[in-house]
Amino acid sequence: MRSMRVVGLGGSLRAESTSRTALQVALDGAAADGAEVELISVRDLDLPLYTAEHAPPPAALRLADTVYGSDGLIWSSPTYHGSVSGSFKNALDWLILLAERDPPYLANKPIGLITTAGGVQGLQAVNSMDFIARSLRGWSVPLVMPVPQSWQSFDPDGHLKDEAVASQLRRLGAEVVRAARQFRAKGTCDYADDAQRSPGTIPRG
Ligand SMILES: Cc1cc2nc3c(=O)[nH]c(=O)nc-3n(C[C@H](O)[C@H](O)[C@H](O)COP(=O)(O)O)c2cc1C
């Protein structure tokens, strides 16, 4: 059986992006759990603002295909004005290209949510991502990672120096792999499995 494929989408245009570093660490956690991982950053995608008036650019088509081919996703955006960055939201808007697929959009895909925030409003960005995930038919996993006061956890060049944060991010990556395995095996995801639940997760229902 092929391994789980986890795709990370990073939402900062900054070269020394802390949210990109956080995403890479979470993907390392997914890879340590046996997943194939790929990191896509809005900085590299260089997408135009979404419009239906022109043919989709190749970068948007590649993004949509790569996301659709994944078993699970990890999203990581900087917190901008109490929500996600505009470039991150724009990348997700291009996923309207998945509307006519069967199943559509991000159906049956678990999504791990990360933000880095200069202050303490990161949970607002995570909640924004949760709204978007649901509208795209995805399943956000209960463990989320809003990293507050990012200047304390990261060096100015964007390297993560806080091992406690790194450990939680790796756990989030592993959690996405665990949920993706359940979706593939059962077509659903069951958080009632106490034996495997990661510490710190909040069960649903
Ligand atoms: C336009 C802009 C808006 C921001 N808004 C907020 C905010 O509302 N709350 C907050 O805690 N930090 C805010 N910040 C700080 C960023 O969240 C913080 O620097 C973040 O770690 C940047 O992520 P990056 O390194 O991946 O670019 C803002 C930064 C910018 C540039």
Side-chain angles (χ1 to χ4, degrees), residues 3-85:
S3 45
M4 294 292 131
R5 196 169 293 140
V6 175
V7 170
L9 180 61
S12 175
L13 296 172
R14 287 195 330 117
E16 299 85 13
S17 165
T18 56
S19 55
R20 187 188 195 286
T21 302
L23 176 59
Q24 183 60 64
V25 174
L27 288 172
D28 290 346
D33 220 21
E36 285 173 29
V37 299
E38 179 175 352
L39 191 156
I40 301 173
S41 167
V42 294
R43 181 177 162 86
D44 305 320
L45 284 172
D46 197 21
L47 289 167
L49 286 177
Y50 172 77
T51 171
E53 291 177 10
H54 305 296
L61 293 168
R62 271 199 310 278
L63 171 68
D65 282 342
T66 305
V67 164
Y68 198 73
S70 72
D71 299 292
L73 295 164
I74 303 177
W75 292 353
S76 184
S77 171
T79 296
Y80 275 9
H81 298 152
S83 185
V84 296
S85 69

Side-chain angles (χ1 to χ4, degrees), residues 134-192:
R134 279 190 271 147
S135 76
L136 289 170
R137 325 274 175 89
W139 296 67
S140 52
V141 301
L143 178 64
V144 293
M145 271 302 288
V147 183
Q149 299 180 316
S150 50
W151 46 273
Q152 289 192 331
S153 300
F154 295 84
D155 291 335
D157 58 6
H159 292 132
L160 181 55
K161 57 184 182 180
D162 186 330
E163 180 48 37
V165 170
S167 167
Q168 283 287 95
L169 287 165
R170 286 192 291 267
R171 182 172 294 156
L172 175 62
E175 187 69 5
V176 170
V177 177
R178 186 175 77 83
R181 285 201 179 104
Q182 286 197 9
F183 272 111
R184 188 188 287 178
K186 305 185 202 171
T188 186
C189 184
D190 176 8
Y191 283 104

